[in-house]
Amino acid sequence: MTVENLVQLAQNRRTIYQLGRDSPVPDSKIEELVNAAILNVPSSFNTQSTRIVVLLHAEHEKLWDITTEAFGGLVMSGAVPEEMFKNQTLPKLQGFKKAYGTVLFFEDPSHIKPFKEKFAAFANHFEPWADHSNAMHQYFMWTGLEALGFGANLQHYNPLIDSAVAKEWDLPTEWRLIAQMVFGSPEAAPGEKTQKPIEERVKVFGKQ
Ligand SMILES: Cc1cc2nc3c(=O)[nH]c(=O)nc-3n(C[C@H](O)[C@H](O)[C@H](O)COP(=O)(O)O)c2cc1C
């Protein structure tokens, strides 16, 4: 293993919106990848508060039906204009539904609270730190799914869908949904990505 392998994996991870259902691997490989994320991604004070739920096939489709329904409620109440829903949101949600699966990332507050109490001086930091660790799990999964041959994109329909998701899959209601990663067979190349100059974004001092 070399650092070049890592850089290559990082370069391969991109946002892909057009996703299909030709899986390059058996579902057990996806589960192995999730287990590897859970076992190897670090958390502050080793709190291990991240929870991951994988929805495949019909269960994945259900999630995007639930999200569509939740949006329907917003349209009914007037919070979201109907035209916008029809022309923008709905096609996007239908596109996600055509993918292979969705990974849901949560934080379990019951595993953060005892640390807040024990280390009162850091109390305000534990939640942001939990979010950082959660994001590390997301990055691991995003990169790993691409390495398996999938494409993926990251979505945030929380907290709109939190209660319906907890109900549908009988998950603890206190789990906080952080992000949804949609994945499937890549059906289009990633879009153009512009980069701000590295010199603006990196400083190195003391290099010899
Ligand atoms: C923390 C984070 C949140 C994001 N949220 C969304 C999102 O809600 N919806 C979406 O379509 N893309 C989302 N993205 C994708 C970014 O727009 C995308 O990663 C960025 O434009 C760079 O493109 P790339 O992923 O192809 O490198 C998110 C990315 C990150 C890192």
Coordinates of all heavy atoms in Angstrom, one line a residue, residues 79-146:
A79 N -45.3 26.0 2.2 CA -43.9 26.3 2.5 C -43.0 26.1 1.3 O -42.0 26.8 1.2 CB -43.4 25.4 3.7
V80 N -43.4 25.2 0.4 CA -42.6 25.0 -0.8 C -43.6 25.3 -2.0 O -44.6 24.6 -2.1 CB -42.0 23.6 -0.9 CG1 -41.4 23.3 -2.3 CG2 -41.0 23.4 0.2
P81 N -43.2 26.2 -3.0 CA -44.1 26.4 -4.1 C -44.3 25.2 -5.0 O -43.3 24.4 -5.2 CB -43.4 27.5 -4.9 CG -42.3 28.1 -4.0 CD -42.0 27.0 -3.0
E82 N -45.5 24.9 -5.4 CA -45.8 23.7 -6.1 C -45.0 23.5 -7.4 O -44.5 22.5 -7.7 CB -47.3 23.6 -6.5 CG -47.7 22.2 -7.0 CD -49.2 22.0 -7.0 OE1 -49.9 23.0 -6.6 OE2 -49.6 21.0 -7.5
E83 N -44.8 24.7 -8.1 CA -44.0 24.7 -9.4 C -42.6 24.2 -9.1 O -42.0 23.4 -9.9 CB -44.0 26.1 -10.0 CG -45.3 26.4 -10.8 CD -45.6 25.3 -11.8 OE1 -44.8 25.2 -12.8 OE2 -46.7 24.7 -11.7
M84 N -42.0 24.7 -8.1 CA -40.7 24.4 -7.7 C -40.5 22.9 -7.4 O -39.6 22.2 -7.8 CB -40.2 25.3 -6.5 CG -38.8 25.2 -6.2 SD -38.6 26.2 -4.7 CE -37.0 25.6 -4.2
F85 N -41.5 22.4 -6.6 CA -41.5 21.0 -6.3 C -41.6 20.1 -7.5 O -40.8 19.2 -7.7 CB -42.7 20.7 -5.3 CG -42.9 19.2 -5.1 CD1 -41.9 18.6 -4.3 CD2 -43.9 18.5 -5.6 CE1 -42.1 17.2 -4.0 CE2 -44.1 17.2 -5.4 CZ -43.2 16.5 -4.6
K86 N -42.5 20.5 -8.4 CA -42.8 19.7 -9.7 C -41.6 19.7 -10.6 O -41.2 18.7 -11.2 CB -44.0 20.2 -10.4 CG -45.3 19.5 -10.0 CD -46.3 19.8 -11.1 CE -47.7 19.7 -10.6 NZ -48.6 20.6 -11.2
N87 N -41.0 20.9 -10.8 CA -39.9 21.1 -11.8 C -38.5 20.8 -11.3 O -37.7 20.4 -12.1 CB -39.9 22.5 -12.3 CG -41.3 22.8 -13.0 OD1 -41.9 21.9 -13.5 ND2 -41.7 24.1 -13.0
Q88 N -38.3 21.0 -10.0 CA -36.9 20.8 -9.5 C -36.8 19.6 -8.5 O -36.0 18.7 -8.7 CB -36.5 22.0 -8.8 CG -36.3 23.2 -9.8 CD -35.9 24.5 -9.0 OE1 -35.3 24.5 -8.0 NE2 -36.3 25.6 -9.6
T89 N -37.6 19.7 -7.4 CA -37.4 18.7 -6.4 C -37.8 17.3 -6.8 O -37.1 16.3 -6.6 CB -38.2 19.1 -5.1 OG1 -38.0 20.5 -4.9 CG2 -37.8 18.3 -3.9
L90 N -39.0 17.2 -7.4 CA -39.5 15.8 -7.7 C -38.6 15.1 -8.7 O -38.3 13.9 -8.4 CB -41.0 15.9 -8.3 CG -41.7 14.6 -8.4 CD1 -41.8 13.9 -7.1 CD2 -43.1 14.9 -9.0
P91 N -38.2 15.7 -9.8 CA -37.3 15.0 -10.7 C -36.0 14.5 -10.0 O -35.5 13.4 -10.3 CB -36.9 16.0 -11.8 CG -38.0 17.0 -11.7 CD -38.5 17.0 -10.3
K92 N -35.5 15.3 -9.1 CA -34.3 15.0 -8.3 C -34.5 13.7 -7.5 O -33.8 12.8 -7.5 CB -33.9 16.2 -7.5 CG -32.4 16.3 -7.3 CD -31.9 17.7 -7.0 CE -32.5 18.2 -5.7 NZ -31.7 19.3 -5.1
L93 N -35.7 13.8 -6.7 CA -36.0 12.7 -5.8 C -36.2 11.4 -6.6 O -35.8 10.3 -6.2 CB -37.2 13.0 -5.0 CG -37.1 14.2 -4.0 CD1 -38.4 14.5 -3.3 CD2 -35.9 14.0 -3.0
Q94 N -36.9 11.5 -7.8 CA -37.1 10.3 -8.6 C -35.8 9.8 -9.1 O -35.7 8.6 -9.3 CB -38.1 10.7 -9.8 CG -39.5 10.8 -9.3 CD -40.5 11.5 -10.3 OE1 -40.0 12.1 -11.2 NE2 -41.7 11.2 -10.1
G95 N -34.9 10.7 -9.4 CA -33.5 10.2 -9.8 C -32.8 9.4 -8.7 O -32.3 8.4 -9.0
F96 N -32.9 9.9 -7.5 CA -32.3 9.2 -6.4 C -32.9 7.8 -6.2 O -32.2 6.8 -6.0 CB -32.4 10.0 -5.1 CG -31.8 11.3 -5.1 CD1 -32.3 12.4 -4.4 CD2 -30.6 11.5 -5.8 CE1 -31.7 13.6 -4.4 CE2 -29.9 12.8 -5.8 CZ -30.5 13.8 -5.1
K97 N -34.2 7.7 -6.4 CA -34.9 6.5 -6.3 C -34.4 5.4 -7.3 O -34.5 4.2 -7.0 CB -36.4 6.7 -6.5 CG -37.3 5.5 -6.1 CD -38.8 5.9 -6.2 CE -39.6 4.6 -6.1 NZ -41.0 4.9 -6.2
K98 N -33.9 5.9 -8.4 CA -33.5 4.9 -9.5 C -32.1 4.3 -9.1 O -31.6 3.5 -9.9 CB -33.4 5.7 -10.8 CG -34.7 5.9 -11.5 CD -34.4 6.5 -12.9 CE -35.7 7.2 -13.4 NZ -35.4 8.3 -14.3
A99 N -31.5 4.8 -8.1 CA -30.1 4.3 -7.7 C -30.3 2.9 -7.0 O -31.3 2.4 -6.9 CB -29.4 5.3 -6.8
Y100 N -29.1 2.4 -6.5 CA -29.1 1.1 -6.0 C -29.4 1.0 -4.5 O -30.0 0.1 -4.0 CB -27.7 0.5 -6.2 CG -27.6 -1.0 -5.9 CD1 -28.1 -1.9 -6.8 CD2 -27.0 -1.5 -4.7 CE1 -28.0 -3.3 -6.6 CE2 -26.9 -2.8 -4.5 CZ -27.4 -3.7 -5.4 OH -27.3 -5.1 -5.1
G101 N -28.9 2.1 -3.8 CA -29.1 2.1 -2.3 C -28.8 3.4 -1.7 O -28.3 4.3 -2.4
T102 N -29.1 3.6 -0.5 CA -28.8 4.8 0.3 C -28.2 4.4 1.6 O -28.7 3.5 2.3 CB -30.0 5.7 0.5 OG1 -30.7 5.9 -0.7 CG2 -29.7 7.0 1.1
V103 N -27.1 5.1 2.0 CA -26.5 5.0 3.3 C -27.0 6.1 4.2 O -26.8 7.3 3.8 CB -25.0 4.9 3.3 CG1 -24.4 4.6 4.6 CG2 -24.5 3.9 2.2
L104 N -27.6 5.8 5.3 CA -28.0 6.9 6.3 C -27.0 7.0 7.4 O -26.6 6.0 8.0 CB -29.3 6.6 6.9 CG -30.5 6.3 5.9 CD1 -31.8 5.9 6.7 CD2 -30.7 7.5 5.0
F105 N -26.5 8.2 7.7 CA -25.6 8.5 8.7 C -26.3 9.2 9.9 O -26.9 10.2 9.7 CB -24.4 9.3 8.2 CG -23.6 8.7 7.1 CD1 -24.0 8.8 5.8 CD2 -22.5 7.9 7.4 CE1 -23.3 8.2 4.8 CE2 -21.8 7.3 6.4 CZ -22.2 7.5 5.1
F106 N -26.2 8.6 11.1 CA -26.8 9.2 12.3 C -25.7 9.5 13.4 O -24.7 8.9 13.3 CB -27.8 8.2 12.9 CG -29.0 7.9 12.0 CD1 -28.9 6.8 11.1 CD2 -30.2 8.5 12.2 CE1 -30.0 6.5 10.3 CE2 -31.3 8.1 11.4 CZ -31.2 7.1 10.5
E107 N -26.1 10.3 14.4 CA -25.4 10.4 15.6 C -26.4 10.0 16.7 O -27.5 10.4 16.8 CB -24.9 11.8 15.8 CG -23.6 12.1 15.1 CD -22.5 11.2 15.4 OE1 -22.2 11.0 16.6 OE2 -21.8 10.7 14.5
D108 N -25.8 9.2 17.7 CA -26.6 8.7 18.8 C -26.2 9.6 20.0 O -25.1 9.4 20.6 CB -26.3 7.2 19.1 CG -27.2 6.7 20.3 OD1 -27.8 7.5 21.0 OD2 -27.2 5.5 20.4
P109 N -27.1 10.5 20.4 CA -26.7 11.5 21.5 C -26.5 10.8 22.8 O -25.7 11.3 23.7 CB -27.9 12.4 21.6 CG -28.9 12.0 20.6 CD -28.4 10.8 19.9
S110 N -27.1 9.6 23.0 CA -26.9 8.9 24.3 C -25.4 8.5 24.6 O -25.0 8.3 25.7 CB -27.8 7.7 24.5 OG -27.4 6.7 23.6
H111 N -24.6 8.4 23.5 CA -23.2 8.1 23.6 C -22.3 9.3 23.7 O -21.1 9.2 23.7 CB -22.8 7.2 22.5 CG -23.3 5.8 22.7 ND1 -22.6 4.7 23.1 CD2 -24.6 5.3 22.5 CE1 -23.3 3.7 23.2 NE2 -24.6 4.0 22.9
I112 N -23.0 10.5 23.6 CA -22.2 11.8 23.7 C -22.4 12.4 25.1 O -21.5 12.9 25.7 CB -22.6 12.7 22.5 CG1 -22.3 12.1 21.2 CG2 -21.9 14.1 22.6 CD1 -22.9 12.8 20.0
K113 N -23.7 12.3 25.6 CA -24.1 12.9 26.8 C -23.1 12.6 28.0 O -22.7 13.5 28.7 CB -25.5 12.5 27.1 CG -26.2 13.4 28.2 CD -27.7 13.2 28.1 CE -28.3 13.8 29.4 NZ -28.5 12.7 30.4
P114 N -22.8 11.3 28.2 CA -21.9 11.0 29.4 C -20.6 11.7 29.3 O -20.0 12.1 30.3 CB -21.7 9.5 29.3 CG -22.8 9.0 28.4 CD -23.2 10.1 27.5
F115 N -20.1 11.9 28.1 CA -18.8 12.6 27.9 C -18.9 14.0 28.2 O -18.0 14.6 28.8 CB -18.2 12.3 26.5 CG -17.8 10.9 26.3 CD1 -18.6 9.9 25.9 CD2 -16.4 10.6 26.5 CE1 -18.2 8.6 25.7 CE2 -16.0 9.3 26.3 CZ -16.9 8.3 25.9
K116 N -20.0 14.6 27.8 CA -20.3 16.1 28.1 C -20.3 16.3 29.6 O -19.8 17.3 30.1 CB -21.6 16.5 27.6 CG -21.7 16.8 26.1 CD -23.1 16.9 25.6 CE -23.5 18.2 25.1 NZ -24.9 18.1 24.5
E117 N -20.9 15.3 30.4 CA -21.0 15.5 31.8 C -19.6 15.2 32.5 O -19.2 15.9 33.4 CB -22.0 14.5 32.3 CG -23.4 14.9 32.0 CD -24.5 13.8 32.1 OE1 -24.1 12.7 32.5 OE2 -25.6 14.1 31.7
K118 N -18.9 14.2 32.0 CA -17.6 13.9 32.6 C -16.5 14.9 32.3 O -15.7 15.2 33.2 CB -17.2 12.5 32.0 CG -16.0 11.9 32.8 CD -15.8 10.4 32.4 CE -14.5 9.9 33.1 NZ -14.0 8.7 32.5
F119 N -16.5 15.5 31.1 CA -15.5 16.4 30.7 C -16.2 17.8 30.5 O -16.3 18.3 29.4 CB -14.8 16.0 29.5 CG -14.1 14.6 29.6 CD1 -14.7 13.5 29.1 CD2 -12.9 14.5 30.3 CE1 -14.1 12.2 29.3 CE2 -12.3 13.2 30.5 CZ -12.9 12.1 30.0
A120 N -16.7 18.4 31.6 CA -17.5 19.6 31.5 C -16.8 20.7 30.8 O -17.4 21.5 30.1 CB -17.9 20.0 32.9
A121 N -15.5 20.8 30.9 CA -14.7 21.9 30.2 C -14.9 21.8 28.7 O -14.7 22.8 28.0 CB -13.3 21.9 30.6
F122 N -15.1 20.6 28.2 CA -15.2 20.5 26.7 C -16.7 20.3 26.3 O -16.9 19.9 25.1 CB -14.5 19.2 26.3 CG -13.0 19.2 26.5 CD1 -12.4 18.2 27.3 CD2 -12.2 20.2 26.1 CE1 -11.1 18.2 27.5 CE2 -10.8 20.3 26.3 CZ -10.3 19.2 27.1
A123 N -17.6 20.5 27.2 CA -19.0 20.1 27.0 C -19.5 20.6 25.6 O -20.2 19.8 24.9 CB -19.9 20.6 28.1
N124 N -19.2 21.8 25.3 CA -19.8 22.4 24.0 C -19.1 21.8 22.8 O -19.6 22.1 21.7 CB -19.6 23.9 24.0 CG -20.5 24.5 25.0 OD1 -21.4 24.0 25.5 ND2 -20.1 25.7 25.5
H125 N -18.0 21.1 23.0 CA -17.3 20.6 21.8 C -17.7 19.2 21.3 O -17.4 18.8 20.2 CB -15.8 20.6 22.1 CG -15.2 21.9 22.4 ND1 -15.0 22.8 21.4 CD2 -14.8 22.5 23.5 CE1 -14.5 23.9 21.9 NE2 -14.3 23.8 23.2
F126 N -18.4 18.5 22.2 CA -18.6 17.1 21.9 C -19.5 16.9 20.7 O -19.3 16.0 19.8 CB -19.1 16.3 23.1 CG -18.0 15.9 24.0 CD1 -17.7 16.6 25.2 CD2 -17.2 14.8 23.6 CE1 -16.7 16.2 26.0 CE2 -16.1 14.5 24.4 CZ -15.8 15.2 25.6
E127 N -20.5 17.8 20.5 CA -21.4 17.7 19.4 C -20.7 18.0 18.1 O -20.8 17.2 17.1 CB -22.7 18.4 19.6 CG -23.8 17.5 20.0 CD -24.9 18.2 20.8 OE1 -25.4 19.2 20.3 OE2 -25.3 17.6 21.8
P128 N -20.0 19.1 18.0 CA -19.2 19.4 16.8 C -18.2 18.2 16.5 O -18.1 17.8 15.3 CB -18.5 20.7 17.0 CG -19.2 21.3 18.2 CD -20.0 20.3 18.9
W129 N -17.6 17.7 17.5 CA -16.6 16.6 17.3 C -17.3 15.4 16.8 O -16.8 14.7 15.9 CB -15.9 16.3 18.6 CG -14.8 17.3 19.0 CD1 -14.2 18.2 18.1 CD2 -14.3 17.5 20.3 NE1 -13.3 18.9 18.8 CE2 -13.3 18.6 20.1 CE3 -14.5 17.0 21.5 CZ2 -12.5 19.0 21.2 CZ3 -13.7 17.5 22.6 CH2 -12.8 18.5 22.4
A130 N -18.5 15.1 17.3 CA -19.3 14.0 16.8 C -19.6 14.2 15.3 O -19.5 13.2 14.5 CB -20.6 13.8 17.6
D131 N -20.0 15.4 15.0 CA -20.3 15.7 13.5 C -19.0 15.5 12.7 O -19.1 15.0 11.5 CB -20.8 17.1 13.4 CG -22.3 17.3 13.8 OD1 -22.9 16.2 14.1 OD2 -22.8 18.4 13.9
H132 N -17.9 15.9 13.2 CA -16.6 15.7 12.5 C -16.4 14.2 12.2 O -16.1 13.8 11.1 CB -15.4 16.2 13.2 CG -15.5 17.7 13.5 ND1 -14.5 18.4 14.3 CD2 -16.3 18.7 13.2 CE1 -14.8 19.6 14.4 NE2 -15.9 19.8 13.7
S133 N -16.6 13.4 13.3 CA -16.4 12.0 13.1 C -17.4 11.4 12.2 O -17.1 10.5 11.3 CB -16.5 11.3 14.5 OG -16.3 9.9 14.4
N134 N -18.6 11.9 12.3 CA -19.7 11.4 11.3 C -19.2 11.7 9.9 O -19.4 10.8 9.0 CB -21.0 12.1 11.7 CG -22.2 11.3 11.0 OD1 -22.4 11.5 9.8 ND2 -22.9 10.6 11.8
A135 N -18.7 12.9 9.7 CA -18.3 13.3 8.3 C -17.1 12.4 7.8 O -17.0 12.0 6.6 CB -17.9 14.7 8.3
M136 N -16.3 12.0 8.8 CA -15.2 11.0 8.4 C -15.8 9.7 7.9 O -15.3 9.1 7.0 CB -14.2 10.8 9.6 CG -13.4 12.0 9.9 SD -12.3 11.6 11.3 CE -11.7 13.2 11.7
H137 N -16.8 9.2 8.6 CA -17.5 8.0 8.2 C -18.1 8.2 6.8 O -18.0 7.3 5.9 CB -18.6 7.6 9.1 CG -18.2 7.1 10.4 ND1 -17.7 7.9 11.4 CD2 -18.1 5.8 10.9 CE1 -17.4 7.1 12.5 NE2 -17.6 5.9 12.2
Q138 N -18.6 9.4 6.5 CA -19.2 9.7 5.2 C -18.1 9.6 4.1 O -18.3 9.1 3.0 CB -19.9 11.1 5.2 CG -21.1 11.1 6.1 CD -21.5 12.6 6.3 OE1 -21.5 13.4 5.4 NE2 -22.0 12.9 7.5
Y139 N -17.0 10.3 4.4 CA -15.9 10.3 3.4 C -15.4 8.9 3.2 O -15.1 8.5 2.0 CB -14.8 11.2 3.9 CG -13.7 11.4 2.9 CD1 -13.9 12.1 1.7 CD2 -12.5 10.8 3.1 CE1 -12.9 12.2 0.8 CE2 -11.5 10.9 2.2 CZ -11.7 11.6 1.0 OH -10.7 11.7 0.1
F140 N -15.2 8.1 4.2 CA -14.8 6.7 4.1 C -15.7 6.0 3.1 O -15.3 5.3 2.2 CB -14.7 6.1 5.4 CG -14.2 4.6 5.4 CD1 -12.9 4.3 5.8 CD2 -15.0 3.6 5.0 CE1 -12.4 3.0 5.8 CE2 -14.6 2.3 5.0 CZ -13.3 2.0 5.4
M141 N -17.0 6.1 3.4 CA -18.0 5.4 2.6 C -18.1 5.8 1.2 O -18.2 5.0 0.2 CB -19.4 5.5 3.3 CG -19.6 4.7 4.5 SD -19.3 2.9 4.3 CE -20.5 2.5 3.0
W142 N -18.0 7.2 1.0 CA -18.1 7.8 -0.3 C -16.9 7.2 -1.2 O -17.0 6.8 -2.3 CB -18.0 9.3 -0.2 CG -18.5 10.1 -1.4 CD1 -18.7 9.7 -2.7 CD2 -18.9 11.5 -1.3 NE1 -19.1 10.7 -3.4 CE2 -19.3 11.8 -2.6 CE3 -18.9 12.4 -0.3 CZ2 -19.7 13.1 -2.9 CZ3 -19.4 13.7 -0.6 CH2 -19.8 14.1 -1.9
T143 N -15.7 7.3 -0.6 CA -14.5 6.8 -1.3 C -14.5 5.3 -1.5 O -14.2 4.8 -2.6 CB -13.2 7.2 -0.5 OG1 -13.3 8.6 -0.2 CG2 -12.0 7.0 -1.2
G144 N -15.0 4.6 -0.5 CA -15.0 3.2 -0.5 C -16.0 2.7 -1.6 O -15.8 1.7 -2.3
L145 N -17.2 3.3 -1.6 CA -18.2 2.9 -2.6 C -17.7 3.1 -4.0 O -17.9 2.3 -4.9 CB -19.5 3.7 -2.4 CG -20.3 3.3 -1.2 CD1 -21.4 4.3 -0.8 CD2 -21.0 1.9 -1.4
E146 N -17.0 4.2 -4.2 CA -16.4 4.5 -5.6 C -15.3 3.4 -5.9 O -15.2 2.9 -7.0 CB -15.8 5.9 -5.6 CG -16.8 6.9 -5.4 CD -17.1 7.9 -6.6 OE1 -16.4 7.7 -7.6 OE2 -17.9 8.8 -6.4

